[in-house]
Amino acid sequence: MDTELKTRILSAVDAAFDDETAFLAELTSHPSTRGQEQSAQDFMAAALDERGYEVDRWQIDVDKIRDMPGFSPVMGDYEDAVNVVGTHRSQSQKGRSLILNGHIDVVPAGPLDMWDAPPFEPHVADGWLYGRGAGDMKAGLVSNLFALDALRKAGFAPGADVFFQSVVEEECTGNGALACLERGYRADAALIPEPFEEKLVGAQLGVIWAQVHLKGLPTHVAYAGTGANAIEAAIPLIEALHGLEERWNEPGCRHGDFGHVHHPINLNIGKIQGGDWASSVPAWCIFDMRIAIYPGQDIAAARAEITETIMDAARSNAFLKNSLPEIVWHGFMAEGYALSDDHSATAKAAIGALEGAHRSVNESDLDRVAITATTDARFFGLYADTPALVYGPRAEAIHGFNERVELESIRRITQSTALFIADWCGLETI
């Protein structure tokens, strides 16, 4: 790509960056937690329609995806789970097709009094845009859209089909991205601008969610010795799971990309509830857990090991051995994915194109990172033979309080994305 063309594209991003920031602020104001994504998806669908893209909006049908590789079990229904895809159809078809994927769902805000400002009233301060979901990952969604805008303002369109995807369910199952595969959306590569410090994600962990149900023996607290406390019975099970966590972190268990990462496998007891009355020994307890797995680690074997760990601990407990816990698998049943393991010519070409775009904007080489989280990249890389490049802006406090994303980082990501699209897809004059 010649210097004049690069300058035109980068300048087009700069010229519209105030509009991009305002668009991101408005999108962030939609509280699109799980099951509440409709207004945000309305906003995205309208933006795609205004730009002349072919808009496909549909409700996820669990029956159509439950037998597909990568499906995660669902608690509840998908009555309000809607994906939105905007399609650019190339006239020339001279380049390579591309999926621009991002998720619209955000995690809950938590206690509002722990935020410095309301989480769904975004504001800019000191070069950062604050708000729940601003970083994870609405900034990425918006950068995809405005990268395409910049090409148009420079007088061009991608020279191959581009599928802009705004999906739900990334934060708990990934079934939104899976539904896009079921819908037939395929491309030569995928770009997902998750917030990982403007680095290319070379490997990501998988994630398993489970819910453990325990039953105690209720009695009045005055006679606690004759009952069994279901909440306290959870403690040895959690301790046993931490033991499993440490075993999986041993050097001999690790995928190569995580050899240098401190404690890559993390167990999180994310939620616990139980009992009915302060003066009654609790008759029940439920705790929700999350644990990571490595790329290439067999998910069925990992699930069996989790089950064995919980049941062995229960059988060693005087009460639980006669009242074994029930394990409910719901939410993430996600395999790990390593782009670094993809040695295909297509993957090398996609990575090379992104490296070139990043270098043009930043005047430095593109660093790689192995992350201890998961993204929707696995669906494309593992189940659609499509190299998935995760590359997004700098953000802080994602899933925490005062979540924020750096504006200049968004600008650079938008510029790099526009140059990547131009290189990967080619350009046609409009």
Side-chain angles (χ1 to χ4, degrees):
M1 189 185 306
D2 64 58
T3 301
E4 181 182 354
L5 178 56
K6 287 181 183 178
T7 300
R8 286 173 63 184
I9 294 171
L10 299 181
S11 296
V13 172
D14 286 337
F17 193 67
D18 286 347
D19 291 338
E20 182 174 353
T21 302
F23 188 98
L24 173 58
E26 186 169 353
L27 182 60
T28 303
S29 72
H30 293 263
S32 52
T33 52
R34 185 175 190 264
Q36 303 298 318
E37 303 97 343
Q38 300 90 335
S39 67
Q41 290 291 57
D42 286 344
F43 183 72
M44 291 305 303
L48 292 165
D49 184 64
E50 288 169 4
R51 288 161 169 79
Y53 295 113
E54 174 188 315
V55 178
D56 182 17
R57 178 174 180 154
W58 77 98
Q59 179 180 326
I60 298 174
D61 185 340
V62 175
D63 289 337
K64 289 184 177 181
I65 62 173
R66 70 169 69 253
D67 295 324
M68 294 179 67
F71 175 75
S72 290
V74 179
M75 291 187 72
D77 59 48
Y78 276 164
E79 181 179 351
D80 298 313
V82 174
N83 279 343
V84 172
V85 175
T87 298
H88 159 74
R89 298 288 182 188
S90 167
Q91 298 301 310
S92 65
Q93 297 290 338
K94 64 182 180 180
R96 293 161 292 195
S97 57
L98 180 64
I99 290 169
L100 296 172
N101 173 276
H103 66 88
I104 199 75
D105 56 311
V106 304
V107 298
L112 299 183
D113 61 359
M114 298 184 73
W115 288 74
D116 291 343
F120 296 109
E121 296 179 15
H123 67 282
V124 173
D126 300 321
W128 296 76
L129 191 148
Y130 287 72
R132 171 58 85 227
D136 187 13
M137 63 164 287
K138 290 177 178 177
L141 265 178
V142 173
S143 70
N144 280 344
L145 184 64
F146 277 76
L148 292 170
D149 285 355
L151 296 179
R152 181 176 296 184
K153 289 173 182 174
F156 300 99
D161 292 346
V162 175
F163 307 103
F164 178 101
Q165 300 179 348
S166 178
V167 304
V168 296
E169 286 287 294
E170 191 275 346
E171 296 286 5
C172 54
T173 64
N175 288 341
L178 183 62
C180 287
L181 293 182
E182 188 279 329
R183 195 82 164 176
Y185 291 106
R186 297 288 193 280
D188 294 314
L191 179 68
I192 307 176
E194 290 273 16
F196 291 109
E197 305 284 335
E198 301 179 55
K199 298 176 182 179
L200 174 63
V201 174
Q204 64 181 48
L205 295 178
V207 171
I208 294 175
W209 277 11
Q211 192 175 78
V212 182
H213 295 241
L214 300 103
K215 294 180 180 179
L217 184 63
T219 187
H220 191 282
V221 70
Y223 309 103
T226 65
N229 189 311
I231 294 175
E232 292 181 0
I235 296 172
L237 304 189
I238 294 171
E239 290 174 346
L241 287 166
H242 278 297
L244 175 65
E245 172 191 24
E246 293 310 311
R247 292 194 296 276
W248 283 359
N249 274 297
E250 291 174 359
C253 294
R254 298 188 180 199
H255 181 277
D257 284 286
F258 294 90
H260 67 288
V261 178
H262 174 69
H263 207 278
I265 299 297
N266 291 303
L267 168 73
N268 185 57
I269 306 302
K271 184 178 177 182
I272 187 165
Q273 54 187 325
D276 300 293
W277 193 251
S279 291
S280 296
V281 175
W284 63 278
C285 176
I286 300 172
F287 68 86
D288 288 64
M289 59 164 283
R290 173 264 194 206
I291 194 167
I293 60 173
Y294 295 109
Q297 186 174 354
D298 184 83
I299 200 164
R303 180 168 150 168
E305 195 168 352
I306 293 167
T307 300
E308 182 181 15
T309 298
I310 292 171
M311 293 305 177
D312 283 352
R315 292 186 186 101
S316 300
N317 180 277
F319 172 74
L320 287 179
K321 66 181 180 181
N322 297 312
S323 183
L324 293 176
E326 176 190 4
I327 304 173
V328 177
W329 306 98
H330 75 100
F332 280 122
M333 195 62 62
E335 296 183 85
Y337 167 63
L339 176 65
S340 62
D341 289 339
D342 187 345
H343 303 295
S344 67
T346 301
K348 291 177 182 178
I351 293 169
L354 185 60
E355 287 175 333
H358 177 91
R359 192 178 300 112
S360 293
V361 172
N362 296 274
E363 299 183 349
S364 62
D365 290 338
L366 176 60
D367 291 331
R368 301 194 188 190
V369 63
I371 61 170
T372 56
T374 194
T375 77
D376 280 341
R378 65 189 183 278
F379 294 101
F380 307 104
L382 296 179
Y383 313 125
D385 194 27
T386 303
L389 283 59
V390 177
Y391 169 76
R394 180 187 177 199
E396 294 182 352
I398 58 174
H399 290 212
F401 304 113
N402 301 319
E403 180 180 345
R404 54 200 175 272
V405 61
E406 186 182 40
L407 292 177
E408 285 305 309
S409 181
I410 299 172
R411 185 197 301 267
R412 292 190 295 269
I413 288 293
T414 307
Q415 291 178 325
S416 295
T417 299
L419 293 180
F420 171 73
I421 296 169
D423 186 352
W424 182 254
C425 299
L427 294 174
E428 55 194 34
T429 304
I430 56 174

